[in-house]
């Protein structure tokens, strides 16, 4: 069966990069994604925050390509190099149903932004087929408000990774100096849709926003400024995941600002900021500069 082209992909302005390419003609925008979904891995994953992984795991689906392309990306082989295989919308639905059958607490779309219209269709059809577990949108937050609005009522849990608060750091690490303003507006829209994080009687997330803050060396992440912004704009009841797992991956070894893990002092400073701004709803990690939480991605078949 030949599917009708999805209009949003014929002049692609899904994300703030505004490439304007027709993804059906083989022309690629910044993200490098074509007109079909590409997935590297779908698996029940136990390394997410406890509210997502619980005891049965989070049903992660890792998409190939990315619209932000951080130089230090810990999923570099799939985000930059595009490892993965194409999948139809029906195949994506099959993956979602498979993960639900395996007992996953949720369906966790990892780096989904550049496939938003396709994933949106899959969510609608999976729900029609009886899928009941929460949908998690696990993104880099470099997203347009109007694109996120098309997910209203379909996504239960937003899991944005708020990466930078300063334009110069965003420029240095991604080439996109507008990241802080764009991500701030995107997270406010996520919050408007989903609100504070709610968990069920077993402590498993049902709905809401959980913001990830990966602490970077030399405070490139601006973690203190991020916590201040969240406290002032969304309130200190916002759920936060303060992440200590940075290690130099991808192109990071070629950039002296990024070529080491974070120090205990850098992470303690971030924890102190968390306490200072009164956040009690969230998670901190053991300091671990290793790839232990990165899945074993498969090279193209
Ligand atoms: S989704 Fe990809 S092609 Fe579309 S605007 Fe963003 S980076 Fe460009």
């Amino acid at each position: 069966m030949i599917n009708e082209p999805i209009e949003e992909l014929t002049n692609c302005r899904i994300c703030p990069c505004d490439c304007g390419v027709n993804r059906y003609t083989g022309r690629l925008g910044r993200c490098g994604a074509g007109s079909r979904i590409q997935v590297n891995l779908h698996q029940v994953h136990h390394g997410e925050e406890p509210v997502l992984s619980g005891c049965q795991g989070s049903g992660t689906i890792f998409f190939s390509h990315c619209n932000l392309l951080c130089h230090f990306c810990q999923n570099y082989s799939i985000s930059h190099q595009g490892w993965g295989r194409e999948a139809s919308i029906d195949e994506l639905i099959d993956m979602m149903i498979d993960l639900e059958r395996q007992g996953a607490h949720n369906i966790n779309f990892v780096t989904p932004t550049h496939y938003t219209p396709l994933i949106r269709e899959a969510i609608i059809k999976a729900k029609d087929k009886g899928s009941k577990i929460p949908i998690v949108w696990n993104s880099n937050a470099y997203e347009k408000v109007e694109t996120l609005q098309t997910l209203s009522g379909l996504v239960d849990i937003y899991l944005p990774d708020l990466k930078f608060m300063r334009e110069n750091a965003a420029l240095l690490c991604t080439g996109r100096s507008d990241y802080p303003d764009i991500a701030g507006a995107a997270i406010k829209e996520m919050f408007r849709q989903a609100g504070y994080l709610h968990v069920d009687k077993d402590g498993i997330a049902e709905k809401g926003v959980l913001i990830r803050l990966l602490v970077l060396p030399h405070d490139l992440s601006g973690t203190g400024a991020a916590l201040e912004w969240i406290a002032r704009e969304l309130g200190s009841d916002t759920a936060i995941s303060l992440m200590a797992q940075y290690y130099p991956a991808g192109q990071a070894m070629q950039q002296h600002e990024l070529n080491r893990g974070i120090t205990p002092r850098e992470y303690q400073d971030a924890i102190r900021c968390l306490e200072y701004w009164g956040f009690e709803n969230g998670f901190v990690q053991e300091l671990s500069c290793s790839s232990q939480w990165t899945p074993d991605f498969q090279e193209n078949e």
Side-chain angles (χ1 to χ4, degrees), residues 144-164:
K144 282 185 174 175
V145 168
E146 54 266 41
T147 301
L148 288 169
Q149 284 169 343
T150 68
L151 297 169
S152 186
L154 297 175
V155 168
D156 302 285
I157 299 161
Y158 281 102
L159 183 62
D161 205 334
L162 178 53
K163 290 170 180 288
F164 314 100

Side-chain angles (χ1 to χ4, degrees), residues 12-15 17-19 21 23 29-31 67 114:
C12 188
R13 300 186 187 279
I14 289 172
C15 87
C17 298
D18 267 332
C19 301
V21 295
R23 288 169 52 175
R30 176 177 165 87
C31 65
N67 67 330
H114 46 294

Side-chain angles (χ1 to χ4, degrees), residues 117-192:
L118 300 153
I119 297 173
R120 188 172 63 223
E121 197 175 326
I123 297 171
I124 292 168
K125 287 184 174 168
K127 283 182 188 282
D128 283 349
K129 285 189 171 188
S131 174
K132 293 210 171 3
I133 57 178
I135 299 291
V136 181
W137 194 258
N138 181 345
S139 73
N140 57 37
Y142 195 58
E143 299 178 282
K144 282 185 174 175
V145 168
E146 54 266 41
T147 301
L148 288 169
Q149 284 169 343
T150 68
L151 297 169
S152 186
L154 297 175
V155 168
D156 302 285
I157 299 161
Y158 281 102
L159 183 62
D161 205 334
L162 178 53
K163 290 170 180 288
F164 314 100
M165 288 304 282
R166 287 191 299 272
E167 290 181 0
N168 57 355
L171 185 65
L172 177 80
C173 298
T174 70
R176 308 298 297 191
S177 62
D178 58 357
Y179 178 88
D181 285 345
I182 298 271
I187 290 174
K188 282 186 181 174
E189 170 58 22
M190 295 174 190
F191 199 77
R192 188 194 67 76

